[in-house]
């Protein structure tokens, strides 16, 4: 009990000087600083009504104040009351009389000015794929305080943007999204504006490729241009890459033109990205419509040439003897000639043209030679 009375007496003595008792301490209610700035806090002391300023000052000089910050990542304070702004946010600075019950608090707000806005330079979207994407706008520096963002699309028919910065593809094309950063000033009014733009490219990806049919036949030496349907029609990049599984049988160029090299089978592949279609091609040797053998046409058939020569000689011999016209000699091949292929055969036949399954309406196999009609009929 005696110790408590003694302590009370000491406190009273500390708060009293020259007959003046300090009854309160005060600090400014708020202090606003920018990151990196410093600001002093002035303490106001209160005493009785009859105390003069000089008496209050003398009494206050005998007191010891202890300063503290509620969050030193935002603001620190030294023992003279000098506040240093460390990072964006709010903290409470407290001044308390040592060994006493008197204290005061100041709310410190630290602002970090925005110097710019960070947004992606480009954003690629796919109507029938990854059709939306977030801009993820951020202030620069990233710890800038009291910022807000708004967004606007230059062409909503290409891509739209919502209040959260999510961009959605609408149709193929390009447009720009403008991001506006607004920072609240000391008076609570927007006073800082920064903008950034993002180029948005919208495409439609290829979903499928298809030949009219999946297989067909071509005779050696012939060529044709393949036709492929690309879906959807609005797909952006429709550049087809062509490939033959066996170029010793058939080759294909960058335009899809296939040339039959020798008898055999090959797969012709058309692809765009990871989407592809295949065509099973069979290459057959040309068959002579005159002698029925493979490897040549009637226009270059040695048997036909020999027969025609014999017939001409017989006719000439008959004319020389004055005995009228001799009958043409019989073909020298012992076996009957096979039936002509469809499309006309023989030396007087027209050029053979037969559609290959999987090709367009106007894409046909053109006969080899001088219209000998020896082109091979496609397998249907």
């Amino acid at each position: 009990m005696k110790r408590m009375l003694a302590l009370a007496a000491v406190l009273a003595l500390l708060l009293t000087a020259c007959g003046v008792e300090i009854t309160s301490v005060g600090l400014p209610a708020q202090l606003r600083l920018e990151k990196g700035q410093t600001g002093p806090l002035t303490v106001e002391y209160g005493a009785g009504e009859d105390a003069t300023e000089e008496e209050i000052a003398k009494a206050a000089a005998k007191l010891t104040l202890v300063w503290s910050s509620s969050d030193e990542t935002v603001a620190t304070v030294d023992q003279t009351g000098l506040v240093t702004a460390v990072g964006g946010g709010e903290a409470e600075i407290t001044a308390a009389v040592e060994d006493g019950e008197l204290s005061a608090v100041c709310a410190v707000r630290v602002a970090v000015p925005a110097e710019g806005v960070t947004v992606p330079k480009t954003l690629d979207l796919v109507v029938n794929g990854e059709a939306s994407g977030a801009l993820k706008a951020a202030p620069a520096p990233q710890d800038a305080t009291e910022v807000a963002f708004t967004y606007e699309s230059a062409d909503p028919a290409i891509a739209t943007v919502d209040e959260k910065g999510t961009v959605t593809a609408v149709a193929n094309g390009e447009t720009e999204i403008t991001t506006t950063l607004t920072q609240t000033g000391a008076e609570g009014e927007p006073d800082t504006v920064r903008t950034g733009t993002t180029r948005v490219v919208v495409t439609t990806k290829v979903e499928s490729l298809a030949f009219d049919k999946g297989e067909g036949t071509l005779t050696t030496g012939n060529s044709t241009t393949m036709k492929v349907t690309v879906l959807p029609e609005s797909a952006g990049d429709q550049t087809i890459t062509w490939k033959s599984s066996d170029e010793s049988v058939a080759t294909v160029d960058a335009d899809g033109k296939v040339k039959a090299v020798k008898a055999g089978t090959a797969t012709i592949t058309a692809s765009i990205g990871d989407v592809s279609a295949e065509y099973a091609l069979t290459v057959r040797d040309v068959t002579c419509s005159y002698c029925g053998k493979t490897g040549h046409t009637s226009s270059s058939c040695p048997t036909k040439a020999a027969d025609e020569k014999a017939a001409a000689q017989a006719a000439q011999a008959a004319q020389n003897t004055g005995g009228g016209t001799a009958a043409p000699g019989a073909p020298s091949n012992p076996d009957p000639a096979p039936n002509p292929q469809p499309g006309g055969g023989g030396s007087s036949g027209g050029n053979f043209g037969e559609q290959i399954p999987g090709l367009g309406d106007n894409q046909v196999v053109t006969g080899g030679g001088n219209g000998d009609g020896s082109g091979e009929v496609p397998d249907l």
Side-chain angles (χ1 to χ4, degrees):
M1 184 67 177
K2 291 182 178 180
R3 290 183 178 180
M4 294 180 63
L5 292 174
L7 179 60
V10 171
L11 292 175
L13 179 61
L14 290 173
L15 298 176
T16 306
C18 302
V20 174
E21 180 181 354
I22 301 298
T23 59
S24 65
V25 292
L27 291 173
Q30 294 182 345
L31 176 65
R32 190 178 189 278
L33 298 173
E34 290 187 358
K35 181 179 178 180
Q37 289 183 336
T38 59
L41 290 178
T42 302
V43 181
E44 293 185 358
Y45 295 92
E49 294 181 0
D50 296 333
T52 65
E53 290 185 4
E54 183 179 356
E55 290 173 336
I56 294 174
K58 290 181 178 180
K62 297 181 178 296
L63 301 180
T64 300
L65 293 178
V66 178
W67 295 86
S68 62
S69 170
S70 64
D71 189 346
E72 292 192 343
T73 64
V74 175
T76 61
V77 61
D78 66 15
Q79 292 308 305
T80 67
L82 182 66
V83 179
T84 300
V86 178
E90 296 182 356
E92 290 185 343
I93 302 299
T94 302
V97 176
E98 187 178 38
D99 298 327
E101 297 181 355
L102 300 181
S103 65
V105 176
C106 174
V108 177
R109 174 177 294 180
V110 177
V112 180
E115 298 176 0
V117 56
T118 302
V119 291
K121 291 183 178 180
T122 60
L123 182 63
D124 296 325
L125 299 177
V126 181
V127 173
N128 55 346
E130 190 173 348
S132 63
L135 291 175
K136 298 180 181 179
Q142 292 187 354
D143 60 346
T145 56
E146 301 176 89
V147 297
F149 300 98
T150 56
Y151 308 91
E152 182 179 7
S153 172
D155 191 348
I158 301 299
T160 60
V161 61
D162 65 15
E163 67 278 2
K164 295 181 179 179
T166 299
V167 183
T168 302
V170 177
N172 291 353
E174 295 185 14
T175 187
E176 281 190 348
I177 302 296
T178 300
T179 300
T180 302
L181 177 152
T182 304
Q183 187 169 38
T184 302
E187 303 300 324
E189 296 295 330
D191 66 352
T192 302
V193 175
R194 301 285 187 269
T195 60
T197 57
T198 301
R199 174 173 166 264
V200 179
V201 180
V202 179
T203 58
T204 300
K205 68 178 181 179
V206 174
E207 295 180 351
S208 68
L209 299 175
F211 292 99
D212 293 343
K213 289 187 178 180
E215 59 183 6
T217 303
L218 196 63
T219 55
T220 55
N222 286 330
S223 62
T224 190
T225 300
M226 309 295 283
K227 179 182 178 182
V228 172
T229 300
V230 180
L231 293 176
E233 293 181 357
S234 60
D237 183 6
Q238 297 194 16
T239 303
I240 299 175
T241 299
W242 296 92
K243 181 181 179 181
S244 170
S245 64
D246 190 345
E247 293 189 345
S248 69
V249 174
T251 61
V252 60
D253 65 15
D255 297 320
K257 184 177 181 180
V258 177
K259 182 177 181 180
V261 179
K262 72 174 184 179
T265 59
T267 300
I268 305 300
T269 303
S271 61
I272 299 178
D274 57 358
V275 181
S276 62
E278 294 184 346
Y279 185 90
L281 177 66
T282 299
V283 176
R284 295 180 180 175
D285 284 331
V286 64
T287 301
C288 178
S289 60
Y290 186 82
C291 69
K293 295 180 180 180
T294 61
H296 63 268
T297 63
S298 62
S299 62
S300 60
C301 177
T303 302
K304 179 181 178 182
D307 290 345
E308 289 178 342
K309 181 178 180 180
Q313 290 174 345
Q316 183 63 43
Q319 184 178 5
N320 291 340
T321 58
T325 302
S332 61
N333 54 313
D335 297 326
N339 292 329
Q341 298 289 343
S347 59
S348 61
N351 287 338
F352 169 69
E354 189 69 27
Q355 184 172 357
I356 296 180
L359 306 185
D361 294 339
N362 296 324
Q363 295 172 315
V364 299
V365 178
T366 55
N370 298 320
D372 56 20
S374 60
E376 184 67 36
V377 177
D379 296 332
L380 301 177

